[in-house]
Amino acid sequence: MTAALRLGAGLWLAALAAGLAGTLLPAFGYLPALGADGFGLAAWRQLLGWPGIGHSVAVSLTSGLIGTVGAFVAVTLFCAAMQGHRWFDRAAAGLGPLLGLPHAAFGLGFALLVGPSGWLVRLVSPWATGWTAPPDLALVGDGWGLTLAAALAIKEAPYLLLMVVAALPQIRGQEHLQAARSLGYQPVRGWFLVVLPQLYPLIRLPIYAALAFAVSTTDLAIILGPSQPAALSVVVLRLAFDHDATLLLPAAAGAGLQGLVALAAITLWRLGERAVARLGIVILRRGMRGTPAGEMAGRAAGALALLVVGGGSLATIGLLALWSIAGTWRFPDALPDALSTRPWREALPVLAAPLLTAAGIGLAAAMLALAAALAMLERPWRGSRALLYLPLLLPQVTVLFGLQVVLVRSGLDGHVGTVVAVHLLFVLPYVHLSLADAHARFDRRYLDVAAGLGLSPARAFWRIKLPMLARPIAAALAVGFAVSVAQYLPTLFAGAGRVATVTTEAVALSAGGERRLTAAYGFAQGALPALGFLLALLVPRLMSWRR
Amino acid sequence: MATLTLDGIRLSVGGAPLIPHLDLAIAPGTVATVMGPSGSGKSSLLALVAGLLPTAFTAGGHVRLGPEELTPLPAHRRRLGLLYQDDLLFPHLSIADNLAFGLEPAIRGAARKRAVDEALIAAELEGLGGRDPATLSGGQRARAALFRTLLARPRALLLDEPFSRLDQDLRIRMRRLVFDQAAAHDLPVLLVSHDPADAEAAAGPVVDLQALR
């Protein structure tokens, strides 16, 4: 197994290195396939001369930063206000499954919620607004990407909350909070002064990953972001798939620039961390206990955060479902006049194949990732985690553009197997992450007992450890499946645009404006991971009944 | 300072009674000891008095400080100083900042720094203010925790086996320090312990929870 692990780690590193090299070499003028073999800055000059490129960078940076700050503030306020409350566990358990909702499906539903003819506008029209037709407002695709930022905040919040819930047992938050309260601190104030500073180092890396993702998101930016000029990742994608192959050089520079944007965002975040930490020290050195009014405000804000994140997510799913079975639904009615099976009758014949493709790729990627994650957890080595989580800290487009260049050169692009392999780069870290805790908690005395009963270590692994870990393994598979189904950019690049999944099709449809059909695609994309989580819940139970 | 009164305290969890009935009056400057084996409800009683009782418990009766009814107040409004068997110094703060965290906000500026410095001296931690709590010895950390609590100007002290993690020699010295400080500040003290030597040294009223049942 050790040899296989070494080989796997080598391939992993090679893929990342090839991805970065395949981006950076063309960015500096070296792409022999195009006859470009001189190094220089021409590609960068061409990129920086591209119309609106400055605005594109600004949109990516601001929407990503505002979205991540929004998610972080919402999660911390919620935790500070609800910690120890029975609602905290309920919300944490409820928000978990929302993680499985793919970004594309979420974006499509969010557009149905906040767009000019979206549900929120309908709720207040015409009685409050006087609008009898959808207003001519850029509520989706606004020039500064604020809708995109709002969507990112709501979509990233459950992820951050899950990271917080996973980190909480590692610190003695409740006891320290009680100590702070007995010293006269209001609970919310105490949480921010005593618990958050201990919690933060444990969730710093996941936050950076969320930030790197947010400033470089592609599918959400296509669906909800501005179009002219678009977010940087979208510009890179357009250049990379342009008919004019010479645009590959500025596209490479753009993919490199996306890496710099992510670096800039993380640097800005770090500066923010320091400023907030300094403010916290000032407050606690002065012994400011907080006021009842501030406490009320904190609690209200925490409840509001839960309402916006939970309500926004649920409304998004509900609207996808409702639009996909809507007959006539006139503006400004809040509900359709009639229901119809037509959207699904139209969608299913064309949707079935890409849905099955996505499911097949997801299943293969999840199974492979599970095997790799188990192997790594059984034989951990120094630095394995850092290596594993590296793809989550790099913007996808920065690695994938270069990987595509290498894949095209070796003739591997456009195959389903290649798509599965590239998905692994993003699926494996999450499968590993979701399995690691349960694996570490496994009481190894069971294996000692098994050895005493004469089982070899290998047999004890298969017959004792794996069955005992059935639930977390099923959950990790569902997580891997959900992550794979959600992948847009990896599917597009590794599939060379020829492997169509429900995800690539749904994003492509989003520009069309055929709401019912788009909703059906979005709902189908969201239903796929939900089905996975449901199976993960049921199958281990059925297995234990049989015993 | 005022007398801490427990009046008709009842405590049960999931329908099973832990403490059927308890009356206790602790005068300022005296230490009352509540004894009992683990699981007898000692720590829950302390949590009840502090206002930190988990919702799984059902409680009745009154906690008063002088004439003031504490029962309806949340923990942070009761101003009762708590010391646990672990020092619970905040690991992300220096010793001095841990002490400043306890100090009341009305003391500002230079007076604040002076108060912290004086507490460091009284706790025999002079020169260690900038240190990370993890780098201090167990006795030093226990003293820092005591003075963090005292700086908050508590109106009574609640002690949850605060000496049990210390070795014999240190335990005796720490016990004397806590009781001396409580007497100097004229504070009523409720001590929860399973060590008979604690009750003996406290020389105040003793309640055996086992005997109550």
Side-chain angles (χ1 to χ4, degrees):
Chain A
M1 191 152 77
T2 321
L5 271 176
R6 280 211 192 107
L7 180 67
L11 276 174
W12 185 266
L13 208 55
L16 290 177
L20 287 178
T23 296
L24 290 179
L25 290 176
F28 289 98
Y30 183 80
L31 190 61
L34 282 184
D37 53 4
F39 284 91
L41 293 173
W44 286 91
R45 273 197 293 274
Q46 197 181 351
L47 174 75
L48 296 180
W50 201 256
I53 192 72
H55 192 88
S56 293
V57 169
V59 165
S60 290
L61 204 53
T62 50
S63 61
L65 274 169
I66 294 174
T68 312
V69 168
F72 180 73
V73 169
V75 167
T76 49
L77 275 175
F78 169 70
C79 290
M82 301 278 181
Q83 21 99 14
H85 200 278
R86 60 203 154 86
W87 269 91
F88 181 80
D89 295 329
R90 277 187 210 169
L95 290 183
L98 289 179
L99 272 181
L101 186 64
H103 284 83
F106 176 78
L108 295 173
F110 198 68
L112 297 175
L113 179 65
V114 302
S117 105
W119 203 58
L120 287 181
V121 167
R122 284 166 189 260
L123 278 184
V124 295
S125 298
W127 57 274
T129 59
W131 292 328
T132 51
D136 189 16
L137 296 172
L139 293 177
V140 163
D142 60 296
W144 283 102
L146 295 179
T147 309
L148 176 59
L152 279 167
I154 294 178
K155 187 69 185 84
E156 296 297 293
Y159 162 76
L160 289 185
L161 182 62
L162 199 74
M163 294 299 144
V164 169
V165 169
L168 272 177
Q170 296 175 48
I171 60 170
R172 300 165 69 187
Q174 209 55 35
E175 290 168 62
H176 281 138
L177 190 65
Q178 289 194 351
R181 289 184 65 189
S182 74
L183 292 169
Y185 284 79
Q186 302 268 1
V188 171
R189 171 69 59 97
W191 193 89
F192 275 101
L193 290 180
V194 168
V195 181
L196 184 59
Q198 299 183 54
L199 194 62
Y200 190 77
L202 302 175
I203 57 168
R204 181 182 272 132
L205 268 187
I207 287 178
Y208 290 172
L211 188 58
F213 175 87
V215 295
S216 66
T217 177
T218 316
D219 42 4
L220 261 189
I222 291 174
I223 296 168
L224 296 174
S227 55
Q228 283 305 346
L232 180 60
S233 57
V234 181
V235 174
V236 175
L237 194 61
R238 286 183 192 155
L239 289 172
F241 282 91
D242 201 282
H243 293 300
D244 181 358
T246 61
L247 290 181
L248 277 176
L249 294 174
L257 183 59
Q258 182 71 72
L260 292 180
V261 167
L263 197 64
I266 291 176
T267 309
L268 282 172
W269 187 278
R270 284 214 80 128
L271 293 176
E273 273 173 21
R274 296 225 181 113
V276 171
R278 206 158 284 174
L279 180 70
I281 282 283
V282 167
I283 288 177
L284 72 86
R285 281 204 181 134
R286 290 197 186 151
M288 294 156 80
R289 259 65 170 172
T291 59
E295 191 68 10
M296 287 284 285
R299 278 178 193 279
L304 187 68
L306 175 64
L307 191 73
V308 170
V309 172
S313 305
L314 291 179
T316 290
I317 299 169
L319 284 171
L320 283 176
L322 197 54
W323 270 105
S324 76
I325 52 169
T328 45
W329 191 353
R330 275 182 288 267
F331 189 87
D333 298 345
L335 291 171
D337 286 338
L339 301 182
S340 160
T341 56
R342 223 188 75 196
W344 282 105
R345 273 187 283 125
E346 271 176 31
L348 271 181
V350 273
L351 183 62
L355 202 56
L356 282 176
T357 311
I361 292 171
L363 211 54
M367 298 291 280
L368 286 171
L370 175 67
L374 275 173
M376 287 184 76
L377 288 167
E378 288 293 309
R379 298 262 190 288
W381 71 91
R382 270 174 64 90
S384 59
R385 281 197 176 208
L387 188 62
L388 197 56
Y389 297 145
L390 196 57
L392 302 186
L393 289 173
L394 297 167
Q396 282 195 333
V397 77
T398 307
V399 179
L400 291 172
F401 179 90
L403 210 49
Q404 144 106 339
V405 170
V406 176
L407 290 174
V408 170
R409 238 188 116 70
S410 46
L412 287 171
D413 64 322
H415 296 292
V416 173
T418 311
V419 176
V420 171
V422 172
H423 274 207
L424 270 182
L425 280 176
F426 307 99
V427 172
L428 178 53
Y430 284 108
V431 171
H432 186 275
L433 195 67
S434 79
L435 199 55
D437 267 349
H439 186 273
R441 269 202 309 272
F442 182 81
D443 190 342
R444 67 151 293 121
R445 286 175 304 172
Y446 287 106
L447 298 180
D448 300 344
V449 171
L453 296 173
L455 262 69
S456 71
R459 278 172 67 84
F461 174 78
W462 289 104
R463 298 206 24 210
I464 308 289
K465 197 167 188 179
L466 277 193
M468 284 184 69
L469 290 175
R471 269 158 208 255
I473 283 176
L477 274 176
V479 167
F481 183 71
V483 172
S484 170
V485 168
Q487 296 302 318
Y488 171 68
L489 215 50
T491 315
L492 204 59
F493 271 122
R498 296 198 294 275
V499 176
T501 67
V502 64
T503 305
T504 59
E505 298 297 287
V507 175
L509 262 181
S510 70
E514 193 3 289
R515 274 198 288 265
R516 288 168 184 77
L517 197 62
T518 325
Y521 271 72
F523 187 82
Q525 193 210 10
L528 212 48
L531 194 66
F533 282 111
L534 193 66
L535 285 176
L537 210 62
L538 293 181
V539 170
R541 279 191 201 178
L542 291 176
M543 279 165 56
S544 62
W545 276 340
R546 211 180 50 195
R547 252 183 264 144
Chain B
M1 284 294 161
T3 299
L4 180 66
T5 315
L6 312 189
D7 184 2
I9 296 294
R10 295 182 314 275
L11 191 62
S12 61
V13 57
L18 272 174
I19 300 174
H21 186 94
L22 174 63
D23 294 317
L24 184 63
I26 310 164
T30 60
V31 181
T33 311
V34 172
M35 308 274 301
S38 35
S40 61
K42 296 192 304 279
S43 297
S44 307
L45 174 66
L46 217 56
L48 183 152
V49 176
L52 296 167
L53 196 66
T55 46
F57 290 86
T58 329
H62 299 272
V63 180
R64 289 195 201 90
L65 198 65
E68 187 187 351
E69 181 71 56
L70 295 186
T71 320
L73 291 182
H76 58 273
R77 303 278 302 280
R78 296 193 182 194
R79 288 186 50 213
L80 305 177
L82 257 170
L83 278 179
Y84 295 95
Q85 45 181 263
D86 299 307
D87 52 71
L88 291 178
L89 292 173
F90 303 129
H92 61 294
L93 301 180
S94 67
I95 290 297
D97 282 340
N98 262 288
L99 291 175
F101 191 89
L103 193 59
E104 55 185 321
I107 302 170
R108 292 161 189 269
R112 234 179 139 72
K113 192 173 165 349
R114 207 174 324 119
V116 170
D117 287 343
E118 282 168 11
L120 283 169
I121 294 168
E124 298 172 49
L125 295 170
E126 211 176 348
L128 301 179
R131 293 272 287 272
D132 177 343
T135 64
L136 266 57
S137 72
Q140 290 170 325
R141 291 162 57 105
R143 293 201 297 277
L146 169 65
F147 280 86
R148 182 177 71 179
T149 303
L150 291 174
L151 280 179
R153 295 265 190 100
R155 303 184 290 176
L157 281 186
L158 308 176
L159 311 179
D160 189 355
E161 311 218 18
F163 318 120
S164 64
R165 289 276 172 93
L166 305 174
D167 61 40
Q168 183 68 24
D169 191 32
L170 204 51
R171 190 182 310 166
I172 294 168
R173 277 191 288 149
M174 191 63 203
R175 192 157 55 204
R176 187 167 309 136
L177 177 65
V178 172
F179 292 169
D180 286 353
Q181 287 292 330
H185 289 88
D186 208 21
L187 295 173
V189 179
L190 177 57
L191 167 67
V192 150
S193 174
H194 63 261
D195 182 357
D198 280 349
E200 203 173 307
V206 178
V207 177
D208 187 347
L209 286 183
Q210 193 108 33
L212 279 183
R213 274 204 249 179

